[in-house]
Amino acid sequence: MQISMTVNGNDVTSEIEPRVLLVHYIREVLGLTGTHWGCDTSNCGTCVVLMDGQPVKSCTVLAAMAAGHDIRTVEGLATGGTLDPVQQGFMEEHGLQCGFCTPGMMLTARALLDKNPHPDDTEIRQAISGQICRCTGYATIVRSVQWAAAHPAGHGLDDAPATDYSAGTGLDGTDTAVPDVATETAETGTEVKA
Amino acid sequence: MQIPAPFDYVRATSVDNALELLARYGPESRVVAGGHSLLPMMKLRLSRPEWLIDINDLYELDFILRDGNKLRVGALTRHTTLLESDEVAALFPIVRDAELVIADPVVRNRGTIGGSLCQADPAEDLSTVCDVLAAEAVIRGPRGERILSMSEFHRGPYETAVGQDELLCELRFGIRPRTGSAYEKVERRVGDWAVGAAGAAVTLAADGTVDDAAVGLTALGLDHLVADAAAVLRGRRPDEELFAQAGRLAAAACDPVADQRGPVDYKRHLADELTQRVLRRACARAAQMQEG
Amino acid sequence: MTVIHDRPSNPAAGDEDRPIGYGRIQRKEDPRFVRGQGHYLDDIVLPGMLHSAILRAPVAHARLVSIDTTNALAHPKVVAVITGKDLLGLKLAWAPTLSADVQAVLVTDKVRFQGQEVAFVVAEDRYAARDALELIDVEYDVLPPLVDARKALDPDAPVIRDEIEGRTDNRIFDWEIGDKAETDAVFASADVVVSQEVVYPRVHPAPLETCGAVADFDAVNGKLTLYETTQAPHAHRTLFAIVAGIPEHKIRIVSPDIGGGFGNKVGIYPGYILAVVGSIVSGRPVKWVEDRSENLMSTSFARDYIMQGDIAATKDGKILALRTHVLADHGAFNATAQPTKNPAGFFSIFTGSYDLKAAYCSVTGVYTNKAPGGVAYACSFRVTEAVYLVERMVDVLARKLNMDPAELRLKNFIKPEQFPYANKTGWVYDSGNYEAAMRLSMQLAGYEDLRREQAEKRERGELMGIGVAFFTEVVGAGPRKHFDIVGLGMADGAELRVHPTGKAVVRISVQSQGQGHETTFAQIVAEELGIPPEDIEVVHGDTDQTPFGLGTYGSRSTPVSGGAVALVARKVREKAKLIAGAMLETRPEDLEWEKGRWFVKGDPSVGKTIAEIAMGAHGTVALPEGVDGNLDAEVTYDPPNLTFPFGAYICVVDVDPGTGQVKVRRFVAVDDCGTRINPMIIEGQVHGGLTDGVGMALMEIIEFDEAGNCLAGSFMDYLIPTAMEVPDWETGFTVTPSPHHPIGAKGIGESATVGSPPAIVNAVVDALAPFGVTHMDMPCTPARVWAAMQGRARPPI
Ligand SMILES: Cc1cc2nc3c(=O)[nH]c(=O)nc-3n(C[C@H](O)[C@H](O)[C@H](O)COP(=O)(O)OP(=O)(O)OC[C@H]3O[C@@H](n4cnc5c(N)ncnc54)[C@H](O)[C@@H]3O)c2cc1C
Ligand code: FES
Ligand code: FES
């Protein structure tokens, strides 16, 4: 059957089998491999894309059902070469390790911030609770989204890091002097989030 | 990833058109709403319809509407819409309680109330909600429209009164004054199906005694209301002793099966414990409504 | 003891304020990942590539009667269907495992676990391959399954490996370590002896990306290029040469970006081999990617240890000895990835962080009708099981003695002055200051206040638990004389090239699965050479481009490869000194190093930066005798000992007395991994491991029913924590460098996975103390916690 939809602002039309899952359509027909998949049972959220601005699990939507709708994937997050503040936030706050869950996490974060520009930590945790990250332990994802909330215009530069390379800033600026254990004190020896 | 067996796909343009398509393609056709129950089953090849009739374009079924002393909810209303509706939360707080623990936010963006009720999974939460709120189901088919009570609607696990050639169109909830409701679920993890859950609705009389009450259970082997709960509660002033009594009734009425979520005695205990909790909360809410 | 001062500025970059080397810098790999431009296995598309799918056994134990592939072959898009019989012809039906056993690639005689590989379909597309599985007819003669390890040695137990000549039972090995007589004697005269059976259930690493491979066999030049989700590309190359008979120089293994590994991607699975066979048979590239249920049901599980623990102490709380017997369930094939001489991995470090008089352990490994594997899930070669056992036992003892668990630990720690410390089972711990870490953790947690709050809550019937755990990890194998995997010594190489303009490429043998190697290893070179990390490219994951080494698992990247990288950079630095001498026309002995530059002693204004030296080396400078014209070096680092990171964890839980639901309210983790390279990455590693701990302690488990069905074959039942189950982690650190490691680093990848489960379980058991509960087995699900409150250690299902 023939389907048409908008993906990251571009109109696309393809001939597909009706059973093609949206995730496979995006990855294999359109070649946008930034959208990943991780389960068979709609549980992991690795495949999340935005459909008409709302996060959906693209493994549980048929490409045919998405026809006529507006799809946004991780490849459509940056605009005109400038990373979305969410993307910048994930880099600033170490919101990713293997990067596999990251596209889905970032898209959900984008949708959340569009709806609620100043979420609290619990709201962020709730928003991403349908998505598993096996690497980060989530705290840094929450911080990444908070970074984006605090910098709605990002840091204005493309990849350029805003905070690093300046010793003594960031979460654990105290770490610039690695203390000898013998002189360790709680102050110098902790990374507790302020 | 697992993949559904082949099928043909067609998009319905209206309720009438959907009914026509169902008639045309016959027993091997199925409607798909949010698809969040059907597509996972198809991927596992536990379900293999030959035709899928997509009803997502039927915006006429996506509404929340107050109509006199009834709240009408279209079958295509998404979980997220229900969760975020302040009107629904004010009238039927049980809905927000339940929606907060149904699946996860992303699934809730797609799953619909109609799909939930028609799937009739024993661990599905909205059936219990509809039961305790004494909702009516509006069903349309080639023979016209039928309005069924919940007890008529349910036919057991994965079975409802909705015929193959019919469509569930709407749920209607009677608005009653001095009524409070609540839902509580125990899950192994956020996003998991219920180990067990309970819902209650309580209407208080002007003197603060219970005028009417309903208690329902999810995933605990009882697909109708806890019988006698209303009888025991009615005319009595809500207190801990009364809740405990209702809890014992619920535990006795349920018939859970052991699985990875827990053994029978634990689930029976949950019927008791959760019944007490939701009654406590429903009564407090009813009292608040009375004051407010 | 090395003390690292402020991050120095980088004169080479001409920027006084710009620090180099160690410290918190953003990851070099992130720009591609946040754009969705990571390149994972399933993203690979080769011209003419075919897809594949594996038909798997629906039952746990059955004779294979017949397979009929006619209908599948008739499918218009099916290219080939391969069965065990075909593989027998190719001598590929059985492949060696990492534990000197063999594993069936496809079933030839008998199914030995549910989900085992039965037939392999190669087709034009992924959907057709799946469809064709339904067209294969298989007849099985079902046999009684054995899924309970406790019954494996019963005389009437079905013999699972009856294909092995002379096998009449399911015993794989009996292994012991420590002095049994001495230990028994200490037990016999101890004031207090407590015993407890502690079960570490079967769990799964379940990285978010499943395993897969794309095999591309070029028949013309006989070269196999195999893209694989592997944590150990070089070891795989050698094993493939042995298994498939392809000469090793004709094999190139490429490990692209990996979507998490956690030990799941160490072994060689039948699917990888089948992809290779498929490519040879079809003459086209073949992709195989497992789905989630295949991942959970057939590739490497973790743990499955039933441990009987005994602990002996004086009545005032001096721990004297530990003794344990373990029944180890290895599944249907012994495919555990472990150093050859250690069938129980590093479990023998179960003496933990305590100074004991005696210790003894024995382990019996058995076959069952379950998937093979065993060493995975950030387990540090079974240190996880060891730490869980000792930390539970210490808590059980604390309860018996009515002592505070933190107090009891403080009383028994190995003291700083006892390092290097030789424990009773043959390990020499490199360095440690356990008390400092424990005290810091207690201070961060506000331990005294927590105990006060708990007492108040108990009065009101509220269930709050405080769990304490301390762990000593053992990571970074080699030395190669002691540790090898199927004969390959556990050492790792590094090659460094400084290009004429002073930019560098470092090639390493280990493979990142998210640990940030491209950043950390660049930082090590930066620290040693003064080249900014952004000017250093880290190459990994391609055997044609990197030196040999055993790969990333067991937290060995920093301890082994990190050492190699530091040493190779130092080698380059020494070479740079000779060249600088020639350039400055001074004797090398008269030069002094500051970060990024050799200068003349006493005249700092006269010197050459690394970039200038690199240009000189590649340019026309007259080089000294024996120095060739480049600024390159290579090393293979064979670590003199393992490293022993440690940490002190405190967990606070609240238990709902009505439903048994556990909420982890707080978690304080103090880690000591020696020298800290990038604290941001370290913190991330810790957070991830703590989350694993919540998973294992509260929800993750792979169980089987009596018919041998796996009950956790999807993410619907194999539950992994979401953001809602974990608290905002509170981390702290102490720094006790490893004395023998070139930069003092110890490794951090698995510490938190090792240390957190006992902290959480100890907290739950502590919360349940009013019910007389002294132990409960993981996972502490609502049903199990409730059952424990009713006086049952495990609910009957
Ligand atoms: C990971 C996950 C977790 C979940 N957890 C929960 C949970 O905890 N609690 C819970 O209650 N649910 C849960 N669900 C189910 C979710 O709520 C589903 O969305 C819902 O049950 C079905 O709604 P749907 O619109 O997606 O239905 P579909 O999948 O589209 O349809 C389900 C069935 O109903 C039929 N149908 C749908 N609409 C109509 C109609 N209008 N008339 C007639 N027949 C119709 C379909 O033909 C199909 O047979 C979960 C789902 C997932 C994927
Ligand atoms: S792939 Fe797991 S939810 Fe879509
Ligand atoms: S970063 Fe690896 S799964 Fe989230």
Side-chain angles (χ1 to χ4, degrees):
Chain A
M1 65 181 292
Q2 200 185 56
I3 59 164
S4 302
M5 66 183 83
T6 314
V7 178
N8 300 329
N10 303 313
D11 295 329
V12 295
T13 298
S14 315
E15 193 59 37
I16 56 152
E17 253 193 288
R19 62 169 163 163
V20 170
L21 303 171
L22 180 58
V23 64
H24 287 144
Y25 178 67
I26 292 170
R27 287 177 51 81
E28 288 171 23
V29 180
L30 303 181
L32 297 174
T33 54
T35 303
H36 306 137
W37 59 270
C39 74
D40 313 315
T41 46
S42 316
N43 293 97
C44 74
T46 316
C47 60
V48 163
V49 300
L50 301 186
M51 180 157 152
D52 303 327
Q54 276 195 329
V56 300
K57 295 185 175 177
S58 64
C59 69
T60 318
V61 176
L62 297 172
M65 293 170 82
H69 293 270
D70 181 44
I71 301 296
R72 194 167 173 206
T73 69
V74 63
E75 289 89 348
L77 263 179
T79 42
T82 306
L83 293 181
D84 189 282
V86 168
Q87 290 170 302
Q88 295 176 4
F90 271 68
M91 289 172 57
E92 292 286 343
E93 297 294 350
H94 195 28
L96 68 152
Q97 289 181 26
C98 78
F100 207 67
C101 70
T102 315
M105 291 288 182
M106 293 192 303
L107 287 162
T108 300
R110 179 73 270 148
L112 171 70
L113 293 177
D114 286 347
K115 216 158 130 176
N116 176 2
H118 298 291
D120 62 28
D121 286 2
T122 308
E123 287 168 327
I124 296 171
R125 285 179 183 271
Q126 270 163 350
I128 60 170
S129 65
Q131 290 159 256
I132 289 169
C133 176
R134 201 58 164 145
C135 300
T136 64
Y138 304 105
T140 56
I141 295 182
V142 174
R143 290 179 206 166
S144 301
V145 181
Q146 288 296 18
W147 189 96
H151 301 80
H155 47 49
L157 306 162
D158 189 10
D159 282 345
T163 55
D164 74 338
Y165 294 123
S166 49
T169 65
L171 266 178
D172 41 7
T174 49
D175 195 50
T176 51
V178 179
D180 185 325
V181 67
T183 59
E184 192 76 39
T185 68
E187 270 243 311
T188 54
T190 64
E191 304 172 341
V192 184
K193 199 183 163 192
Chain B
M1 186 189 303
Q2 296 175 6
I3 294 151
F7 55 83
D8 279 310
Y9 170 93
V10 58
R11 241 188 231 205
T13 52
S14 65
V15 170
D16 288 336
N17 177 238
L19 293 175
E20 260 167 52
L21 293 169
L22 280 168
R24 187 181 319 156
Y25 297 120
E28 298 311 320
S29 66
R30 289 285 280 283
V31 299
V32 60
H36 274 55
S37 289
L38 186 53
L39 292 176
M41 302 260 287
M42 288 170 64
K43 283 198 239 172
L44 300 174
R45 304 205 172 184
L46 296 172
S47 170
R48 350 180 33 131
E50 286 172 9
W51 280 90
L52 267 199
I53 300 167
D54 183 350
I55 60 169
N56 282 282
D57 283 355
L58 308 191
Y59 298 104
E60 70 239 62
L61 295 184
D62 185 1
F63 61 86
I64 297 175
L65 194 78
R66 179 145 185 183
D67 186 357
N69 66 348
K70 287 217 190 301
L71 187 78
R72 299 173 49 194
V73 176
L76 203 62
T77 306
R78 314 263 171 204
H79 291 302
T80 300
T81 314
L82 278 170
L83 174 64
E84 290 177 355
S85 162
D86 290 332
E87 185 173 29
V88 171
L91 292 170
F92 307 109
I94 184 174
V95 176
R96 185 167 283 180
D97 286 355
E99 284 294 0
L100 267 174
V101 293
I102 290 176
D104 61 63
V106 184
V107 170
R108 293 199 290 261
N109 282 339
R110 292 295 293 168
T112 65
I113 184 169
S116 294
L117 288 176
C118 291
Q119 182 66 25
D121 189 300
E124 186 273 308
D125 297 284
L126 287 182
S127 290
T128 304
V129 169
C130 290
D131 287 351
V132 302
L133 294 178
E136 296 165 333
V138 181
I139 296 166
R140 276 181 59 190
R143 295 163 299 281
E145 186 175 288
R146 309 189 277 154
I147 300 184
L148 301 185
S149 70
M150 277 296 128
S151 55
E152 293 163 326
F153 181 86
H154 297 307
R155 294 270 172 86
Y158 306 104
E159 250 195 281
T160 69
V162 184
Q164 187 279 322
D165 54 356
E166 292 183 311
L167 216 52
L168 172 63
C169 290
E170 175 179 338
L171 282 308
R172 291 187 185 156
F173 300 91
I175 299 168
R176 287 186 291 175
R178 296 188 306 277
T179 301
S181 58
Y183 194 77
E184 187 162 332
K185 166 173 164 179
V186 169
E187 51 192 3
R188 295 175 299 178
R189 188 205 65 191
V190 164
D192 187 22
W193 295 84
V195 179
V202 177
T203 305
L204 295 179
D207 65 356
T209 60
V210 175
D211 186 37
D212 196 11
V215 175
L217 302 173
T218 305
L220 295 171
L222 182 74
D223 50 14
H224 48 78
L225 294 175
V226 176
D228 312 333
V232 165
L233 293 162
R234 201 171 288 136
R236 306 264 302 270
R237 197 166 285 282
D239 63 17
E240 285 301 315
E241 173 44 37
L242 197 58
F243 300 150
Q245 209 179 330
R248 283 194 293 274
L249 276 178
C254 72
D255 186 16
V257 290
D259 59 16
Q260 288 143 278
R261 289 185 171 75
V264 168
D265 60 352
Y266 174 63
K267 293 190 177 183
R268 208 179 278 289
H269 163 77
L270 284 186
D272 181 348
E273 175 72 25
L274 296 180
T275 294
Q276 298 191 46
R277 291 185 184 188
V278 290
L279 277 174
R280 197 175 295 132
R281 195 136 36 93
C283 286
R285 284 171 172 168
Q288 227 168 22
M289 283 224 348
Q290 200 161 23
E291 286 159 21
Chain C
M1 198 173 282
T2 339
V3 181
I4 298 131
H5 297 289
D6 287 357
R7 289 156 63 191
S9 64
N10 178 16
D15 177 352
E16 285 298 322
D17 300 329
R18 194 170 229 204
I20 52 167
Y22 305 157
R24 183 189 205 272
I25 64 167
Q26 277 187 15
R27 297 201 321 165
K28 287 157 63 79
E29 37 276 90
D30 287 354
R32 70 171 184 276
F33 288 136
V34 300
R35 286 179 168 78
Q37 285 172 10
H39 200 53
Y40 302 90
L41 192 280
D42 199 22
D43 302 343
I44 294 170
V45 178
L46 300 181
M49 186 177 78
L50 298 169
H51 293 261
S52 66
I54 294 176
L55 181 72
R56 292 180 180 273
V59 291
H61 200 191
R63 289 249 159 248
L64 181 65
V65 179
S66 65
I67 305 185
D68 182 351
T69 59
T70 324
N71 292 338
L73 280 166
H75 188 293
K77 287 187 170 174
V78 169
V79 175
V81 181
I82 295 162
T83 64
K85 215 184 248 165
D86 303 326
L87 293 185
L88 279 174
L90 298 167
K91 297 208 167 24
L92 279 175
W94 294 83
T97 69
L98 298 176
S99 281
D101 193 357
V102 289
Q103 168 168 5
V105 177
L106 287 175
V107 172
T108 52
D109 54 341
K110 199 170 82 160
V111 170
R112 292 180 177 80
F113 66 93
Q114 190 187 40
Q116 196 182 339
E117 298 78 1
V118 174
F120 185 65
V121 173
V122 181
E124 295 290 342
D125 66 53
R126 155 188 333 257
Y127 284 26
R130 284 267 151 198
D131 290 347
L133 295 184
E134 297 187 317
L135 302 174
I136 302 174
D137 287 317
V138 188
E139 202 185 321
Y140 298 102
D141 184 2
V142 177
L143 301 168
L146 168 68
V147 288
D148 182 352
R150 295 173 212 261
K151 295 183 182 151
L153 298 176
D154 288 356
D156 59 345
V159 179
I160 293 166
R161 298 298 298 280
D162 50 359
E163 93 284 2
I164 304 173
E165 277 280 324
R167 239 223 186 267
T168 53
D169 67 9
N170 296 309
R171 188 185 303 271
I172 308 175
F173 63 84
D174 284 304
W175 183 76
E176 60 174 359
I177 197 156
D179 189 328
K180 185 171 191 312
E182 183 189 12
T183 308
D184 289 348
V186 174
F187 267 88
S189 62
D191 303 343
V192 184
V193 172
V194 206
S195 299
Q196 177 65 52
E197 184 190 89
V198 175
V199 177
Y200 211 132
R202 182 172 274 240
V203 289
H204 200 283
L208 213 40
E209 176 201 37
T210 59
C211 300
V214 177
D216 185 7
F217 184 73
D218 179 340
V220 175
N221 62 26
K223 176 136 188 171
L224 171 69
T225 305
L226 182 60
Y227 304 85
E228 273 188 311
T229 50
T230 176
Q231 302 174 218
H234 292 278
H236 276 208
R237 185 185 65 200
T238 307
L239 286 168
F240 268 103
I242 295 166
V243 173
I246 301 170
E248 196 168 356
H249 67 297
K250 292 286 189 185
I251 302 177
R252 173 181 171 214
I253 307 276
V254 181
S255 184
D257 285 327
I258 302 285
F262 318 111
N264 198 176
K265 293 167 180 168
V266 175
I268 293 187
Y269 300 119
Y272 299 169
I273 299 171
L274 289 167
V276 173
V277 174
S279 182
I280 293 173
V281 167
S282 68
R284 289 163 67 180
V286 172
K287 178 187 279 186
W288 169 73
V289 183
E290 63 184 1
D291 62 34
R292 179 56 61 189
S293 65
E294 296 182 282
N295 175 252
L296 289 169
M297 289 172 68
S298 73
T299 55
S300 196
F301 76 94
R303 330 282 193 251
D304 221 346
Y305 258 35
I306 301 171
M307 305 176 277
Q308 179 60 48
D310 306 317
I311 189 165
T314 63
K315 53 182 177 304
D316 58 350
K318 177 77 196 114
I319 304 173
L320 302 172
L322 269 160
R323 191 167 60 190
T324 182
H325 176 70
V326 179
L327 184 59
D329 185 340
H330 282 237
F333 307 100
N334 186 17
T336 298
Q338 88 230 326
T340 310
K341 295 172 196 112
N342 301 261
F346 294 173
F347 180 77
S348 58
I349 195 147
F350 76 108
T351 54
S353 316
Y354 310 104
D355 184 20
L356 305 178
K357 276 196 156 65
Y360 170 76
C361 107
S362 60
V363 181
T364 299
V366 296
Y367 290 121
T368 58
N369 287 119
K370 294 153 114 177
V375 165
Y377 201 171
C379 67
S380 285
F381 292 122
R382 298 207 194 268
V383 180
T384 318
E385 289 92 323
V387 165
Y388 183 61
L389 175 73
V390 60
E391 291 305 295
R392 270 285 50 242
M393 293 309 298
V394 170
D395 254 40
V396 172
L397 176 66
R399 185 71 70 75
K400 173 87 173 186
L401 296 171
N402 204 15
M403 267 182 84
D404 181 273
E407 217 41 59
L408 179 59
R409 285 176 171 83
L410 283 166
K411 193 170 177 137
N412 287 284
F413 281 145
I414 300 162
K415 306 258 172 317
E417 60 277 14
Q418 288 176 281
F419 290 93
Y421 174 84
N423 89 335
K424 293 292 172 191
T425 51
W427 303 97
V428 180
Y429 298 13
D430 59 348
S431 62
N433 186 343
Y434 297 168
E435 179 172 347
M438 189 73 228
R439 296 234 181 256
L440 177 59
S441 173
M442 292 168 74
Q443 183 190 334
L444 290 176
Y447 190 72
E448 303 301 322
D449 291 343
L450 285 172
R451 285 286 174 210
R452 224 167 293 131
E453 179 190 347
Q454 179 185 41
E456 285 163 25
K457 290 209 156 132
R458 277 198 181 148
E459 292 281 300
R460 298 199 295 269
E462 289 171 42
L463 304 179
M464 166 181 167
I466 304 159
V468 178
F470 198 95
F471 66 90
T472 298
E473 258 261 69
V474 44
V475 304
R480 51 196 277 271
K481 64 176 186 290
H482 293 143
F483 303 105
D484 68 274
I485 287 187
V486 291
L488 298 172
M490 299 185 77
D492 281 81
E495 288 173 15
L496 177 63
R497 293 185 192 164
V498 184
H499 294 329
T501 54
K503 316 284 176 188
V505 174
V506 61
R507 299 168 189 278
I508 55 176
S509 55
V510 293
Q511 163 64 23
S512 173
Q513 310 116 44
Q515 298 93 333
H517 289 172
E518 291 165 39
T519 309
T520 301
F521 289 104
Q523 287 184 269
I524 295 175
V525 175
E527 179 70 18
E528 298 294 336
L529 286 185
I531 301 173
E534 63 268 33
D535 290 347
I536 300 159
E537 189 75 6
V538 177
V539 177
H540 59 117
D542 181 341
T543 55
D544 272 7
Q545 291 205 48
T546 56
F548 188 84
L550 276 221
T552 296
Y553 43 83
S555 300
R556 60 190 299 284
S557 288
T558 299
V560 189
S561 250
V565 168
L567 292 181
V568 82
R570 286 175 194 172
K571 211 165 163 182
V572 162
R573 195 165 75 201
E574 285 314 303
K575 182 169 182 179
K577 186 180 187 179
L578 301 177
I579 298 168
M583 292 171 81
L584 295 167
E585 297 175 352
T586 41
R587 293 182 317 165
E589 307 85 276
D590 294 336
L591 295 176
E592 199 172 315
W593 174 254
E594 66 176 0
K595 210 135 284 182
R597 183 169 176 269
W598 284 108
F599 65 90
V600 176
K601 272 181 200 159
D603 188 1
S605 67
V606 180
K608 291 286 174 195
T609 66
I610 276 286
E612 289 164 341
I613 299 167
M615 188 57 90
H618 292 92
T620 55
V621 171
L623 296 167
E625 200 42 48
V627 176
D628 42 8
N630 59 44
L631 198 50
D632 303 346
E634 56 182 272
V635 299
T636 297
Y637 178 59
D638 179 18
N641 187 8
L642 297 111
T643 58
F644 296 76
F646 55 91
Y649 290 178
I650 296 177
C651 173
V652 182
V653 302
D654 296 304
V655 176
D656 182 328
T659 63
Q661 283 167 297
V662 177
K663 176 89 198 149
V664 178
R665 191 207 308 169
R666 286 183 65 197
F667 200 108
V668 174
V670 170
D671 273 278
D672 191 320
C673 59
T675 301
R676 297 159 63 81
I677 299 161
N678 186 327
M680 176 186 87
I681 289 178
I682 292 171
E683 188 194 25
Q685 294 291 299
V686 172
H687 285 188
L690 297 176
T691 306
D692 292 345
V694 171
M696 285 178 278
L698 301 186
M699 59 191 83
E700 295 180 32
I701 184 169
I702 297 189
E703 288 181 291
F704 295 81
D705 68 12
E706 279 179 5
N709 296 308
C710 175
L711 301 178
S714 79
F715 274 169
M716 224 175 351
D717 289 308
Y718 193 74
L719 301 172
I720 291 170
T722 74
M724 298 302 288
E725 283 77 33
V726 298
D728 201 2
W729 309 110
E730 301 167 59
T731 58
F733 62 90
T734 58
V735 177
T736 313
S738 170
H740 65 75
H741 187 271
I743 60 171
K746 289 188 168 187
I748 189 69
E750 297 165 325
S751 286
T753 316
V754 168
S756 55
I760 301 165
V761 175
N762 286 349
V764 173
V765 171
D766 185 49
L768 301 183
F771 296 86
V773 175
T774 54
H775 174 74
M776 73 172 288
D777 280 329
M778 295 187 282
C780 305
T781 62
R784 284 167 173 242
V785 170
W786 181 80
M789 288 189 234
Q790 316 308 307
R792 282 188 264 128
R794 266 219 59 185
I797 298 267

